[in-house]
């Protein structure tokens, strides 16, 4: 996905950053504590997202009694494929950011599911300031600032806030007026993948030396992530609509309380989003240790939301474009529209919005208002040829009490060490998984699945229990 993944940015800038001597996050120390699994007769996995499902599948296939409890009525967590008027669209995670070393790609290969490279090109920029589409030369000139600015960032203090750096860079090139507003839009968009308010993280958090990139480009699964989640869930004991309220854990086992029901087990794997932990939605008895609580408090959830438009006809085909940016004086308001027709199977455009604008929009506007505002902008971008959609779907990851955001990020004052602390077991009965517990692949489905594999192995699962993922399991070091 062009200009929306830190993975591509890091490939371009890592050498320059290292050459500049910019301090980076220290390399993660490997996990050293393994759970004693004698008597692990019953494992309860909380959360049927990709981390929880992957762990549960390994445990189940290894002959370990496992039950998954899920607060919602569906599996998949932040991977959710919907049929919207005949279009199959992932309303949560949609891309595999690289396929070499990606568990979902390995499962897709094993299942005969294809995936398609998302190489839509540079796209065009529509200026909401002057109500016109910028020429190709103007667009190229704008985006060239990203590479120039990266060299400016590399010489900055690691504690510099990203927004301040952008302002300083624009001052250094004497940018002003509408041109400055457009340049600021493009430069801030470089950081969109974090989902974070642009003033809440530093260049230290961005230049993350440990963050792993995968080869193969940004790929979209044929049929979405849904079939992968369903395959992992198949055959498992899953209790849906079971929001967990309290977890008791101790030397004699665990007890999971939700509603009027209590489940007993020998171990519990908590695979809920960071947002749920931050909201204290689940009570732990005994309470979590200070180190883990501090890590939870320092980390935060980013916000990346979608407005999805499905049409009868691909009326924009004559424009020969598949990607549009909307730049206005309003802070990143509905800035990105992508043609998803070849992935969805029906004429489809997906709008993404993120960061502080997403937070304020989700907190203060209805779905109807959000859809109307995004529709107005899309009509401007596409011109008079725009048709009425047959279906509009808006996401609400921030407002959903079982997610409270899209994925984790590291604000100022946090680091990989917090994600490592979050990943550590508490005692020998209470374990944790999820993308926020992966210091080098957070924010991704890959990271989520890898942590599920990690914790399954910690609990004594057979590395070959899911043959397609055996190489990943054998690589786990506890």
């Amino acid at each position: 996905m062009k200009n929306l993944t830190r993975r591509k940015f890091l490939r371009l800038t890592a050498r320059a950053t290292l050459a500049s001597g910019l301090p980076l996050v220290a390399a993660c120390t490997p996990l050293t504590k393994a759970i004693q699994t004698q008597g692990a007769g019953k494992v309860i996995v909380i959360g049927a997202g990709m981390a929880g499902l992957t762990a549960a599948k390994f445990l189940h296939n290894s002959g370990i009694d496992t039950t998954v409890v899920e607060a919602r009525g569906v599996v998949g967590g932040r991977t959710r494929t919907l049929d919207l008027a005949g279009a199959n669209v992932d309303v949560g995670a949609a891309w595999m950011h690289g396929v070499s070393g990606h568990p979902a790609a390995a499962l897709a290969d094993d299942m005969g599911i294809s995936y398609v490279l998302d190489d839509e090109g540079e796209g065009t920029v529509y200026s909401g300031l002057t109500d016109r589409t910028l020429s190709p030369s103007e667009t190229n000139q704008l985006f060239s600032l990203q590479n120039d600015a990266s060299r400016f960032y590399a010489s900055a203090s690691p504690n510099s806030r990203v927004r301040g750096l952008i302002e300083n860079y624009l001052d250094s090139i004497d940018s002003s007026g509408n041109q400055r507003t457009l340049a600021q839009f493009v430069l801030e968009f470089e950081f969109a993948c974090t989902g974070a308010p642009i003033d809440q993280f530093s260049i230290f958090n961005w230049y993350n030396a440990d963050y792993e990139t995968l080869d193969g480009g940004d790929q979209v699964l044929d049929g979405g992530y849904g079939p992968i989640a369903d395959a992992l869930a198949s055959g498992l004991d899953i209790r849906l609509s079971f929001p967990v309220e309290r977890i008791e854990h101790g030397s004699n086992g665990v007890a999971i309380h939700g509603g009027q029901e209590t489940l007993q087990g020998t171990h519990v794997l908590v695979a809920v989003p960071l947002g749920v932990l931050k909201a204290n939605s689940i009570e732990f008895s005994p309470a979590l240790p200070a180190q883990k609580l501090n890590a939870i408090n320092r980390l935060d959830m980013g916000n990346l939301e979608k407005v999805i438009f499905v049409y009868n006809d691909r009326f924009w085909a004559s424009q020969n474009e598949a990607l549009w940016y909307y730049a206005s004086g309003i802070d990143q308001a509905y800035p990105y529209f992508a043609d998803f027709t070849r992935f969805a199977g029906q004429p489809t455009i997906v709008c993404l919005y993120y960061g502080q604008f997403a937070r304020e929009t989700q907190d203060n506007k209805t779905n109807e208002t959000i859809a109307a505002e995004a529709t107005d902008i899309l009509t401007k971008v596409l011109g008079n040829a725009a048709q009425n959609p047959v279906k509009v779907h808006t996401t609400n990851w921030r407002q959903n009490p079982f997610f409270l955001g899209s994925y984790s990020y590291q604000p100022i004052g946090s680091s990989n060490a917090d994600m490592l602390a979050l990943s550590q077991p508490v005692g020998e009965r209470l374990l944790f998984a999820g993308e926020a517990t992966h210091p080098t692949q957070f924010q991704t489905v890959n990271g989520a699945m890898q942590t599920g594999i990690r914790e399954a192995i910690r609990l004594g699962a057979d590395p070959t229990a899911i043959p397609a993922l055996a190489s990943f399991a054998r690589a786990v070091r506890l």
Side-chain angles (χ1 to χ4, degrees):
M1 183 177 175
K2 194 70 173 177
N3 297 311
L4 197 58
T5 67
R6 169 167 47 190
R7 297 91 200 165
K8 290 181 179 179
F9 181 89
L10 284 170
R11 292 190 189 106
L12 294 173
T13 59
R15 290 183 181 178
T17 307
L18 291 170
S20 74
L22 176 66
L24 295 165
V25 178
C28 293
T29 55
L31 295 174
T32 56
K33 184 173 183 179
I35 293 292
Q36 300 298 315
T37 57
Q38 289 94 345
K42 176 71 173 182
V43 178
I44 301 171
V45 177
I46 301 176
M50 296 303 279
L53 290 176
T54 303
K57 193 72 166 182
F58 262 100
L59 294 166
H60 171 80
N61 288 4
S62 299
I64 298 173
D65 188 9
T66 304
T67 294
V68 181
V69 296
E70 165 58 43
R72 299 196 305 162
V74 295
V75 302
R78 285 166 281 177
T79 62
R80 179 78 171 132
T81 307
L82 294 183
D83 182 338
L84 303 174
N88 287 317
V89 185
D90 280 316
V91 297
W95 289 268
M96 295 186 294
H97 299 298
V99 293
S100 177
H102 198 305
L107 284 177
D109 290 341
D110 185 63
M111 296 167 63
I113 297 175
S114 62
Y115 35 87
V116 181
L117 181 65
D118 187 357
D119 56 351
E120 72 285 343
E122 293 289 347
T124 60
V125 176
Y126 183 93
S127 171
L129 304 170
T130 57
D131 285 326
R132 70 179 182 90
T133 299
L134 301 188
S135 68
S137 62
E138 289 174 311
T139 299
N140 290 337
Q141 184 178 6
L142 269 181
F143 279 104
S144 70
L145 294 177
Q146 291 179 337
N147 287 338
D148 187 50
S150 70
R151 291 185 285 271
F152 183 88
Y153 306 151
S155 62
S157 165
N159 293 322
S160 300
R161 293 177 183 263
V162 169
R163 169 156 279 173
L165 275 180
I166 291 174
E167 294 283 357
N168 292 341
Y169 168 73
L170 293 173
D171 288 342
S172 75
I173 62 173
D174 296 324
S175 183
S176 62
N178 284 350
Q179 192 63 22
R180 183 184 179 103
T181 301
L182 291 173
Q184 183 165 339
F185 165 83
V186 168
L187 294 176
E188 290 187 358
F189 192 83
E190 187 72 64
F191 301 91
C193 71
T194 66
I198 199 72
D199 60 349
Q200 291 189 14
F201 64 102
S202 70
I203 208 67
F204 175 83
N205 302 122
W206 178 257
Y207 284 106
N208 190 326
D210 289 336
Y211 203 95
E212 300 174 14
T213 59
L214 304 181
D215 293 331
D218 293 334
Q219 305 267 354
V220 178
L221 287 155
D222 184 19
Y225 270 108
I228 303 295
D230 290 343
L232 290 171
S234 177
L236 299 181
D237 175 19
I238 301 178
R239 312 286 180 88
L240 297 176
S241 302
F242 190 126
V244 172
E245 300 164 355
R246 177 179 169 88
I247 297 173
E248 297 175 0
H249 58 101
S251 58
N252 294 325
V254 299
I256 312 302
H257 304 277
Q260 302 300 313
E261 190 172 359
T262 296
L263 299 179
Q264 305 281 346
T266 58
H267 298 80
V268 58
L269 172 58
V270 178
V272 300
L274 171 67
V276 173
L277 297 176
K278 289 183 70 67
N280 296 314
S281 302
I282 300 174
E283 178 187 357
F284 291 87
S285 179
L288 297 178
Q291 182 184 22
K292 193 174 289 287
L293 289 174
N294 290 338
I296 291 170
N297 290 332
R298 281 191 291 264
L299 297 168
D300 204 355
M301 288 291 279
N303 301 104
L304 185 67
E305 302 285 353
K306 299 180 181 181
V307 185
I308 301 162
F309 303 88
V310 181
Y311 299 90
N312 283 324
D313 301 304
R314 190 168 174 264
F315 59 87
W316 59 90
S318 61
Q319 295 190 17
N320 197 32
E321 290 294 347
L323 179 60
W324 304 270
Y325 301 92
Y326 178 77
S328 70
I330 303 174
D331 195 16
Q332 300 289 351
Y334 309 109
Y336 183 96
F337 295 83
D339 182 356
F340 255 59
T341 302
R342 62 183 174 134
F343 310 124
Q346 293 290 334
T348 303
I349 291 176
V350 176
C351 168
L352 298 178
Y353 64 102
Y354 57 90
Q356 187 63 32
F357 178 79
R359 289 186 175 186
E360 294 174 358
T361 298
Q362 287 283 309
D363 291 348
N364 298 297
K365 296 178 181 179
T366 65
N367 285 343
E368 291 75 17
T369 298
I370 293 169
E373 290 179 347
T375 298
D376 287 345
I377 290 175
L378 183 57
T379 300
K380 288 182 180 180
V381 171
L382 296 180
N384 294 331
Q387 299 177 3
N388 291 326
V390 296
K391 180 71 175 180
V392 179
H393 178 85
T394 60
T395 64
N396 303 101
W397 297 106
R398 175 171 171 81
Q399 294 299 324
N400 190 310
F402 304 125
F403 302 103
L404 297 172
S406 301
Y407 43 60
S408 63
Y409 77 96
Q410 296 177 3
I412 292 172
S414 65
S415 71
N416 282 4
D418 292 315
M419 291 179 164
L420 186 62
L422 188 56
S423 74
Q424 297 295 317
V426 175
E428 295 184 348
R429 305 288 182 176
L430 175 60
L431 299 84
F432 292 82
E435 53 86 15
T437 74
H438 199 307
T440 64
Q441 278 288 312
F442 56 94
Q443 302 180 340
T444 68
V445 175
N446 172 29
M449 295 180 71
Q450 295 269 16
T451 67
I453 297 170
R454 178 191 71 206
E455 298 309 310
I457 296 302
R458 195 193 301 277
L459 284 164
D462 178 356
T464 66
I466 304 178
L469 302 183
S471 62
F472 297 93
R474 292 193 182 102
V476 171
R477 296 293 180 267
L478 298 176

